[in-house]
């Protein structure tokens, strides 16, 4: 093949046409995107080699209007998030999944109104191609602001009142809670309390609902058996102490996160309550660094943040490629991992 002159450099469109694929497929193949088939990648790379195509990132951005960057927005105080092993796992998964599709992760924290203003100004400045949002609260103005910006956005577990007209990926929080509490009921427990997460977020709302519905179905009155905490160790410890004072005869507790369960276990130990002899404990998250390492090891509902982030990134890439992806919820399954804290393993 005769090389072109400097003014006739081959374009991405030339490579796509030569390879017999779409322009978006050619672009993703050249960026080593994991979502391109091996056959298509080989054809695109061969075409680029034969044509002498050498992509230039700055020039490509001008043509495609793509920056190659994705914002990951966490709608929580950064101090709390960085102390939360589940959210840390989400951030790691976000970095890895985005790197695998040739994108740079831009991490943003949006908790206060000042944070919101800075976040919106940054996003509307054209610095990123799309947004992944985690843990917005019910009254959080961020989702509405993002709709006005019209940036492709995928939510990871928004509050219940945000589930219409958005793209989201969530776990089956209510179903997971039902599995956990059913396990306790079937183990013979009858005074089953719960330490629920903040009731302005979707996941803890659903987990509390699952706990309540399962007790009612089992003929157990849930009145007075719930205490709210903030997903921290200290919050779990305080909530457990309150429950022991109010319901001294409780024989089980479903805790809305592994981190809170660590605090609950400490309170139970300080109170001289044997786990699981006196009080069975079941948690939610199944964090690999916490649940198996506790004394006793925690029975916990397993959810893998990597699965959620992978599904979110996949949806966002389809939106960025111009596909007509209908808004809606993708609900991922969870499972109960039984260990010693619930009395059986």
């Amino acid at each position: 093949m005769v090389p072109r002159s400097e003014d006739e450099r081959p374009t991405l469109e030339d490579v796509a046409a030569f390879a017999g694929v779409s322009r978006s497929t050619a672009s993703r193949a050249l960026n080593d995107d994991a979502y391109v088939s091996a056959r298509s990648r080989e054809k695109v790379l061969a075409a680029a080699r034969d044509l002498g195509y050498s992509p230039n990132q700055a020039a490509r951005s001008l043509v495609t209007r793509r920056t190659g960057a994705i914002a990951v927005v966490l709608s929580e105080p950064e101090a709390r998030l960085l102390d939360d092993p589940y959210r840390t796992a989400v951030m790691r998964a976000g970095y890895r999944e985005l790197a695998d599709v040739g994108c740079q992760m831009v991490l943003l924290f949006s908790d206060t109104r000042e944070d919101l203003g800075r976040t919106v100004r940054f996003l509307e400045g054209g610095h990123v191609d799309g947004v992944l949002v985690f843990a917005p609260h019910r009254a959080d103005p961020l989702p509405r602001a993002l709709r006005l910006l019209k940036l492709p956005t995928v939510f990871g577990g928004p509050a219940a009142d945000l589930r219409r007209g958005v793209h989201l990926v969530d776990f089956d929080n209510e179903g997971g809670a039902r599995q956990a509490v059913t396990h306790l009921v079937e183990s013979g427990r009858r005074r089953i309390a719960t330490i629920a997460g903040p009731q302005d977020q979707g996941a803890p709302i659903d987990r509390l609902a699952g706990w309540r519905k399962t007790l009612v179905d089992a003929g157990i009155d849930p009145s007075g058996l719930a205490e709210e905490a903030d997903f921290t160790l200290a919050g779990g410890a305080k909530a457990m102490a309150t429950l022991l004072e109010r319901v001294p005869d409780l024989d089980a507790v479903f805790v809305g996160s592994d981190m809170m369960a660590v605090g609950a276990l400490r309170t139970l130990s300080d109170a001289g309550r044997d786990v699981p002899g006196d009080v069975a404990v079941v948690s939610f998250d199944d964090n690999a660094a916490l649940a198996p390492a506790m004394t006793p090891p925690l029975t916990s509902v397993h959810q893998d943040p990597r699965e959620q982030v992978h599904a979110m990134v996949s949806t966002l890439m389809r939106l960025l490629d111009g596909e007509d992806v209908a808004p809606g919820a993708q609900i991922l399954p969870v499972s109960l991992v039984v260990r010693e804290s619930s009395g059986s393993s």
Side-chain angles (χ1 to χ4, degrees), residues 280-293:
V281 178
V282 178
S283 183
F284 207 113
D285 285 342
D286 192 34
N287 184 276
L290 288 179

Side-chain angles (χ1 to χ4, degrees), residues 311-323:
M312 292 173 69
V313 170
S314 178
T315 299
L316 186 61
M317 291 301 105
R318 292 175 63 198
L319 291 171
L320 290 174
D321 281 345
E323 293 187 31

